[in-house]
Amino acid sequence: MRKFLHLVKEGSVFAYGALAGKKVELTSGSINRSIFSLAIPMVMELVMESVFVSINLLIIARLGDKVLGLVGIADNYINFANAIAIGLGIAAATLTARRAGEKDQEGMSRTAHYIILLASAFALLIGGLSFLFAGEIISFLGFNTGIVENGLPFSKLVFLSIGLVILRLSINGLFRGAGDADLAMKSLWLCHISSMVFAVILVFGLGFIPAYGLMGLAYATILSRLLAVLYQFFILLTRKTSVNILVRFHLDLPLIKKILKITFGGLVQYIIPASSWLIMVKIIATFGTTALAGYIIAQRIASVATMPAWGIGNAAGVLTGQNLGAGNPDRAEKTVWRAGGINMTYLIAVAIFWQFAAEYVVTFFTKEAEVARYAVQYIHVVSMAYLLLGFTMVISRALNAAGNIMQVTLLYMIMFYVIQLPLAYLLGVRLQWELKGIFTAIVSSEIVLAVLFLMIFKNGKWKTIKI
């Protein structure tokens, strides 16, 4: 008993240190300590993402099924538009991690300068265009004229805030690559906590503040994202991070080319699943608003449970980059296998939980029996792929960090465009299995992707890539 209490105490002290930003040597010493020193803040970052998704879903559900559908489709477009942010975040984390492993502080600073400049340019371009063409976007995605007109002011503001998301995700990539995962966590926590507080007040009203309904959700979104970006620049300018941007700016065209190349690979890599999600939504919308609502609810609920596993995957990616930069490819490989085992264990427990508890969790978010039936069906089927998903999450991040981005992109292309979407259309629409067929297609493609990732990682060529 005394030994157990000692372990709990030591674990609590270590976790607190990781959340507080206590530095741990990531390229030597205990692999488990290295993994968890990064994984704890990254997991807590995604735990907050899970809490935000759940509370946001509850708020939206109180506004009705039509609003739920509008917000769901708007979110899918935002995920698609944020591809450039994901690409820049991958470039930032990949290059910063490699430079950190090499102990190249000047290289980290130059990388940060160009990441921030490129993120600012893309934020203005994509946020502005999305704002101007908001009506055409949500009309194209399947809503009728009445809903488009009612939802246009909301869509314009939320689409405008895409620019802030591009900045936030790009800068967080710098923090993570440098090993300052706690700062990325804090900026996301600030964003989501403020968003939830603002949403409750502005959507439903409080005291002298009127209830703005759907527009209150838009106001909360843009205010919280602005607050998070201001916090990030405060951290950078006050030098509370390993990334120092307060140095002389040098024109470095080869570095710009390298960042854009990695960004493009990450962008395409993200656009593939994001665009497939949009197409999948259009396919499911043919079955009616009830089926679409069930799918959106289930997708969000399922993502809540898997977000901590993505945190461990992100940690493995940073450690891969830093260890390769430090000339320790074998340690990088051991780290990935260790993190994959941890992830697999966690996701198997989640899958078992969903088989017994999915119905109870879903009915907490919707009282519509048919919507709940579709949602539970999705969760039961998709969780069957969790056994291999744990390794997919880790290996994909590790290959990206090693610079093997285009191969990961090719695998995603095979998964979504060659297997998932054609199979979903065949089973769901042509053979009239409806959502059961679509869910089966999703699981099948996930299994194929996991097997391909394992094969590529085991051949070891990723260890020799120079970036």
Side-chain angles (χ1 to χ4, degrees):
M1 184 64 180
R2 182 177 297 176
K3 185 176 181 180
F4 173 74
L5 292 175
H6 177 72
L7 288 173
V8 170
K9 180 182 177 180
E10 290 293 315
S12 300
V13 170
F14 178 77
Y16 176 79
L19 293 173
K22 182 179 179 180
K23 296 296 182 184
V24 172
E25 177 54 52
L26 301 177
T27 57
S28 62
S30 168
I31 290 178
N32 285 345
R33 180 174 289 270
S34 298
I35 291 173
F36 285 108
S37 67
L38 286 180
I40 288 171
M42 289 182 179
V43 168
M44 292 307 296
E45 182 179 344
L46 291 170
V47 164
M48 173 51 65
E49 190 83 46
S50 303
V51 172
F52 171 73
V53 168
S54 302
I55 294 179
N56 197 42
L57 183 58
L58 285 172
I59 293 171
I60 297 166
R62 298 297 184 271
L63 298 175
D65 285 348
K66 289 183 178 179
V67 170
L68 178 63
L70 173 65
V71 175
I73 283 188
D75 282 351
N76 274 284
Y77 168 73
I78 290 169
N79 289 335
F80 179 75
N82 281 340
I84 186 64
I86 301 299
L88 281 168
I90 289 173
T94 299
L95 292 171
T96 305
R98 190 64 69 97
R99 300 294 87 83
E102 295 167 351
K103 310 299 184 185
D104 181 3
Q105 290 294 324
E106 183 182 349
M108 288 173 63
S109 298
R110 288 201 307 272
T111 299
H113 283 160
Y114 287 112
I115 288 292
I116 293 171
L117 285 173
L118 290 169
S120 299
F122 283 119
L124 290 171
L125 177 65
I126 297 173
L129 289 176
S130 299
F131 174 82
L132 291 174
F133 296 101
E136 289 80 0
I137 291 168
I138 57 177
S139 178
F140 170 76
L141 293 176
F143 276 103
N144 60 45
T145 305
I147 295 178
V148 169
E149 289 177 356
N150 292 332
L152 186 56
F154 164 82
S155 301
K156 278 182 171 291
L157 275 184
V158 172
F159 289 172
L160 183 64
S161 72
I162 289 172
L164 295 170
V165 177
I166 291 173
L167 279 167
R168 180 174 65 82
L169 294 182
S170 300
I171 295 172
N172 271 357
L174 294 172
F175 290 157
R176 292 191 190 98
D180 294 326
D182 61 299
L183 297 177
M185 176 197 72
K186 289 169 185 174
S187 70
L188 182 134
W189 274 59
L190 176 62
C191 181
H192 286 343
I193 290 175
S194 62
S195 180
M196 290 184 289
V197 173
F198 291 154
V200 170
I201 293 172
L202 296 174
V203 171
F204 303 112
L206 180 67
F208 64 90
I209 301 175
Y212 290 100
L214 181 60
M215 285 306 298
L217 191 63
Y219 299 146
T221 299
I222 201 164
L223 287 172
S224 59
R225 289 174 177 176
L226 176 60
L227 187 61
V229 170
L230 291 175
Y231 167 77
Q232 288 178 319
F233 276 100
F234 170 78
I235 293 296
L236 288 168
L237 293 173
T238 54
R239 301 183 66 174
K240 297 180 182 298
T241 171
S242 304
V243 181
N244 180 18
I245 64 170
L246 299 177
V247 295
R248 185 187 296 273
F249 179 83
H250 294 287
L251 182 62
D252 190 339
L253 293 178
L255 178 58
I256 295 174
K257 182 178 178 181
K258 187 180 295 184
I259 291 173
L260 289 175
K261 181 180 178 181
I262 296 174
T263 298
F264 177 76
L267 180 153
V268 175
Q269 184 182 120
Y270 185 77
I271 279 180
I272 291 168
S275 61
S276 77
W277 292 332
L278 289 177
I279 297 169
M280 190 70 79
V281 164
K282 286 186 71 69
I283 293 173
I284 293 172
T286 63
F287 304 131
T289 56
T290 299
L292 179 60
Y295 173 72
I296 290 171
I297 287 175
Q299 191 182 46
R300 290 193 172 202
I301 291 173
S303 70
V304 167
T306 57
M307 280 179 183
W310 284 113
I312 295 173
N314 290 336
V318 172
L319 289 169
T320 298
Q322 291 213 10
N323 280 295
L324 290 177
N328 295 327
D330 291 339
R331 179 181 170 87
E333 183 176 10
K334 290 178 182 178
T335 299
V336 171
W337 287 121
R338 190 78 55 84
I342 294 168
N343 246 7
M344 183 185 69
T345 303
Y346 167 72
L347 286 175
I348 288 174
V350 171
I352 294 171
F353 170 80
W354 280 137
Q355 296 305 312
F356 294 99
E359 185 175 350
Y360 301 101
V361 175
V362 167
T363 53
F364 185 72
F365 293 94
T366 179
K367 300 302 180 184
E368 298 290 334
E370 195 66 10
V371 172
R373 184 176 69 83
Y374 283 127
V376 171
Q377 187 181 66
Y378 173 90
I379 293 171
H380 279 166
V381 174
V382 170
S383 62
M384 293 169 59
Y386 283 4
L387 176 63
L388 293 175
L389 183 61
F391 280 100
T392 300
M393 291 173 167
V394 170
I395 293 175
S396 63
R397 296 310 194 257
L399 293 176
N400 276 338
N404 203 5
I405 293 170
M406 293 312 297
Q407 193 166 33
V408 175
T409 302
L410 178 61
L411 292 184
Y412 278 130
M413 192 176 296
I414 292 171
M415 172 191 174
F416 288 104
Y417 290 158
V418 178
I419 300 174
Q420 187 177 111
L421 291 174
L423 189 59
Y425 180 77
L426 174 65
L427 298 179
V429 179
R430 301 296 295 179
L431 297 182
Q432 298 182 348
W433 290 14
E434 297 187 347
L435 289 193
K436 184 178 180 180
I438 287 171
F439 301 158
T440 301
I442 293 172
V443 170
S444 301
S445 61
E446 290 280 3
I447 292 172
V448 172
L449 180 68
V451 172
L452 291 174
F453 269 133
L454 286 165
M455 291 172 60
I456 289 172
F457 185 77
K458 287 196 71 174
N459 72 27
K461 292 181 180 178
W462 55 273
K463 298 179 185 179
T464 61
I465 298 173
K466 304 295 182 183
I467 58 172

